[in-house]
Amino acid sequence: MIDVHYVTFDCAAPYELATFWSRATGWEIHPETEKDDDEVLVLGRPNLLFIRVPEGKTVKNRVHLDVTGSDGTTRDQEVERLAGIGATVQDDRRNPDGTGWVTMLDPEGNEFCVCRADYEKKP
């Protein structure tokens, strides 16, 4: 059995990307962070670690986050909110019956999916 300590993102601008994910999740950036740090930690469950690398993203992520609303917001409301803070829609897989997801890109092009929360699903 393991405990996931960090999910790590290679990126060009760690502070900027961490700021997006901090706003997306509501989790705080580690208080000792400087804007020009090569590693920036967002404190959550699990923690999100953003590390500066010289090369850019070239292919689809092999691992991605699936996220849902956590405070009564719907999938559709979260898609709108995330787009408002810098994410873009890559692929809309929502179905008329309410199932499905939306694949979005963070400001550096990392894919993540916005899914329905359990409280949105009909019994």
Side-chain angles (χ1 to χ4, degrees), residues 5 22 33 44 46 55 60 77 79 81 97 99 116 121 123:
H5 191 61
S22 174
T33 299
E55 65 278 355
K60 182 181 182 305
Q77 289 169 324
V79 168
R81 185 182 72 81
D97 67 357
T99 60
R116 290 190 310 167
K121 298 174 183 172

Side-chain angles (χ1 to χ4, degrees), residues 3 17 25-28 38 49-50 53 59 61 63 88-89 96 99:
D3 185 23
L17 194 56
T25 61
W27 301 342
E28 73 174 279
D38 288 334
L49 180 62
F50 301 87
V53 297
V59 297
N61 295 11
V63 174
T88 56
V89 173
T99 60

Side-chain angles (χ1 to χ4, degrees), residues 36-111:
D36 61 347
D37 286 349
D38 288 334
E39 296 183 8
V40 178
L41 181 63
V42 175
L43 301 168
R45 208 172 141 196
N47 298 304
L48 304 178
L49 180 62
F50 301 87
I51 298 178
R52 186 181 321 276
V53 297
E55 65 278 355
K57 182 177 179 296
T58 58
V59 297
K60 182 181 182 305
N61 295 11
R62 295 290 304 263
V63 174
H64 68 268
L65 302 179
D66 284 353
V67 302
T68 65
S70 62
D71 56 359
T73 59
T74 67
R75 173 196 55 212
D76 300 341
Q77 289 169 324
E78 284 302 321
V79 168
E80 280 188 44
R81 185 182 72 81
L82 292 163
I85 63 171
T88 56
V89 173
Q90 180 187 45
D91 190 17
D92 191 335
R93 298 284 183 106
R94 290 177 278 194
N95 299 310
D97 67 357
T99 60
W101 65 92
V102 178
T103 302
M104 300 189 80
L105 303 175
D106 73 14
E108 287 208 18
N110 298 300
E111 298 92 358

